[in-house]
Amino acid sequence: MNSTANATLPPRAKPAGQVDPATLAALASGLHADPFAVLGPHEGAVRTLAPGAAAVWVVAQDGQRVALQEQAHGLYTGTAPRARPGQPGSYQLAIEWPDAEQVTPDPYAFGPLLTAQDLDALASGDWRAALELLGARLADMDGIPGLRCAVWAPNARRVAVVGDFNSWDGRRHPMRLRHAAGVWELFIPGIQAGERYKFAITDANGAIALKADPMARRAQAAPATASVVDDPSPYPWTDDAWMRSRAARQARQAPISIYEVHAGSWLAPDGAPCVWDQLADKLPAYAHAMGFSHVELMPIMEYPFGGSWGYQPLGLFAPSARFGPPDAFARFIDRCHAAGIGVILDWVPAHFPDDPHGLARFDGSPLYEYADPREGYHPDWNTLVYNLGRTEVKAFMIASAMHWLRRFHIDGLRVDAVASMLYRDYSRQPGEWIPNRHGGRENLEAVQFLQELNATIREEEPDTIVVAEESTAWPGVTAPVPEGGLGFHYKWNMGWMHDTLRYLHEDPVHRKHHHHDITFGMAYAYSERFVLPLSHDEVVHGKGSLLNKMPGDRAAKLANLRAYLGFMWAHPGKKLLFMGGELACPAEWNHDAALDWNLLDDPGHKGVQRLVADLNRLYRETPSLHELDTDPAGFAWVVMDDADNSVAAFLRQAGGSLVLAVSNFTPVARHGYRVGVPMAGRWTETLNTDAGCYGGSGQGNQGAALTEAEPSHGHAQSLPLTLPPLATLFLTLQG
């Protein structure tokens, strides 16, 4: 017998690159948290995870192919001596799928994407770093085109990119965690614009959630929820002349009259594939013809629920796909600027919805929101509240604001629900809120955020404006940040709006008992820089249309509305009117239906539209009506206390321009009503809301009135006027 017959045979060599069973199981189940430690080139071998592939080869730079062997579960391994870590050009992978062969650089051959300086900037809350480094962007890495991905998810166990390019398989493209900033990164070669993607985030307990990219520049149209790879090509802007003139157009001395618009319901769809292109053909020209200086768009950032009108957004960097792609939105802005119309965006930093694909518990923990529902849940809207005390969240929000101003040439932001941000007890009962560190109700983190936001915008985009929707008496909303203010350029005057609408709602016979409602606004008119808003909020949820807030029959309603609009345009403060107000729409606004433009076939409604256009023209062309909006020197009461007759009269002045505005809020014409004026001469009736061309009775002063040397209201001269019923007069001193 051969003595060697029973000798032990040498073990078979383990194929190059194979991994232990535990590592294999973690890769196969999508649980491995450090993919770069396993996949890609390692010590002369290459590993790639390609579940469902029939075969995989390593392709050298000279084209030679070396087949990899499947260890199990789609993990292919093999020798590749010329493959170099951090040198993605040293080889490619050829993957045979059931229906095609894919030849691609290996994502796991790339070195780290973020530098130490990048990580420091992200961790410190640098908005520039957040804007430039986070999200999924098409880019070239080492000369190779693809998708550069980075997402902040510090408490996740694992994060992967899923999308059309990998059949939404969360095993295929796991990301690398950069611990210093809690950011996961990966570069995926060969991705094209238009491909859909999400992040598959595994939380600390092993649960997996598919999340849209918080920084996505484009998204699927609702109800779909994926992010979409955006085309980074810059838009070819043609608005240089507008951009050079913008600072003067938006200064506190400028005539600013804003037309608030809901993009989805201003005009009925005409079958065009893109709402922005449809609007671009009509809205800028209409706003210009009506004399408005700006269009303000209700939120157009991507939002899941149409009934929120955009006020519950989840895509703070993506124009809603409901209305068209980002380049179409840019084209709309360009067309507005060409027509001499600025664009203000309604922007919502106060709260966000809890949809599972969004920011709520983004990495399995309350990341963007406060953890305690007494801070992190908003009872008014069933939404979550941004934790602005986190530097990363604050950077995210400021980056969003800057994104719209820079990429889309937006001229201003209207910041929604500022009051809800400033107060920790906003809409909360005792015991339902947590005091600040001093025991107070002020949200100190939100105050700091708003100050930083406004300071940043003033420094980076100094000719843009930021407007606060703030409904309380918080001091210094428009005061400079160095003086302790919030730093906004303007604030909506909600008090004026509510007081005057309440007054106009009263039957004229009772208005004498509420006269203070029409005059009280001047008691604080110069405490802030104000916009007078008649906004969408006043014509929804059973509040009735602007027209139907007025008392009386149809003719009286129209007359009241005309008088009110005249009073508003004469009053100090910039102007804002929600779409349909100029049509005197009888119905509440419905976001699912277009404005009823057929109303213009009726002379009464057509008259209100003409009045708004003429008010805007007069406001724009008359310096005294706008130049000293924020200066007490531009205003003087003449008749403030004639409650019995429901008459109010005041002077607006600037330089050599002098205008007298007189409102009669009763249906009784008053003849020979004497109003004192500071200068003798001929006063031209430049606008009369009761004129026949507006649908009124045509009463007035036959175009002008002459002063008489009869003292009245503290002046040596006075005008004997005919005050038409339910009307406002503008009289201008002729030089």
Side-chain angles (χ1 to χ4, degrees), residues 215-491:
M215 307 290 292
R217 271 49 170 179
R218 190 172 178 183
Q220 277 188 293
T225 59
S227 301
V228 178
V229 177
D230 186 32
D231 185 347
S233 303
Y235 178 80
W237 292 97
T238 63
D239 63 349
D240 287 352
W242 168 269
M243 299 296 281
R244 288 193 299 269
S245 68
R246 185 167 69 176
R249 292 173 180 268
Q250 303 193 144
R252 66 179 66 180
Q253 301 85 10
I256 297 177
S257 182
I258 303 164
Y259 187 50
E260 187 189 20
V261 171
H262 177 258
S265 60
W266 185 74
L267 201 61
D270 62 358
C274 177
V275 173
W276 292 125
D277 286 342
Q278 184 187 0
L279 289 176
D281 288 339
K282 295 179 174 65
L283 180 54
Y286 177 79
H288 176 76
M290 289 295 297
F292 290 103
S293 63
H294 291 72
V295 166
E296 179 174 306
L297 297 173
M298 293 168 65
I300 54 84
M301 300 79 185
E302 192 58 72
Y303 54 101
F305 175 47
S308 77
W309 317 325
Y311 288 100
Q312 295 190 6
L314 275 179
L316 287 192
F317 295 79
S320 177
R322 294 168 173 81
F323 310 130
D327 63 327
F329 179 58
R331 191 160 52 246
F332 168 77
I333 305 299
D334 210 21
R335 292 281 293 276
C336 285
H337 288 171
I341 301 297
V343 181
I344 299 170
L345 287 190
D346 213 333
W347 184 65
V348 187
H351 61 123
F352 60 93
D354 62 357
D355 296 65
H357 71 282
L359 301 178
R361 300 190 68 83
F362 185 76
D363 62 358
S365 70
L367 190 65
Y368 286 87
E369 70 272 31
Y370 288 101
D372 194 314
R374 293 174 295 172
E375 298 177 288
Y377 174 74
H378 208 300
D380 280 1
W381 305 300
N382 296 319
T383 51
L384 303 177
V385 179
Y386 288 105
N387 182 357
L388 296 172
R390 297 196 70 149
T391 56
E392 297 92 343
V393 176
K394 187 162 58 177
F396 169 79
M397 301 305 299
I398 294 176
S400 168
M402 295 302 301
H403 167 71
W404 296 103
L405 297 176
R406 289 186 165 178
R407 176 173 178 179
F408 293 106
H409 289 200
I410 296 300
D411 305 294
L413 300 174
R414 181 264 194 185
V415 182
D416 180 63
V418 170
S420 76
M421 302 173 67
L422 293 174
Y423 298 97
R424 287 177 161 268
D425 63 345
Y426 186 90
S427 288
R428 298 179 189 272
Q429 299 300 315
E432 296 178 350
W433 59 282
I434 300 175
N436 63 35
R437 60 180 179 270
H438 304 300
R441 58 197 286 258
E442 300 82 10
N443 189 327
L444 303 179
E445 294 89 353
V447 171
Q448 184 182 15
F449 162 73
L450 292 170
Q451 290 176 324
E452 290 187 20
L453 168 74
N454 287 318
T456 300
I457 291 174
R458 286 177 180 270
E459 180 178 352
E460 300 288 332
E461 299 291 334
D463 55 350
T464 61
I465 58 174
V466 190
V467 183
E469 187 216 13
E470 205 285 310
S471 56
T472 74
W474 184 281
V477 172
T478 58
V481 172
E483 297 176 11
L486 297 182
F488 287 93
H489 296 81
Y490 299 100
K491 168 182 169 173

Side-chain angles (χ1 to χ4, degrees), residues 669-673 699 721-723:
R670 305 195 183 278
H671 302 281
Y673 190 97
Q699 300 184 64
L721 298 174
T722 293
L723 306 185

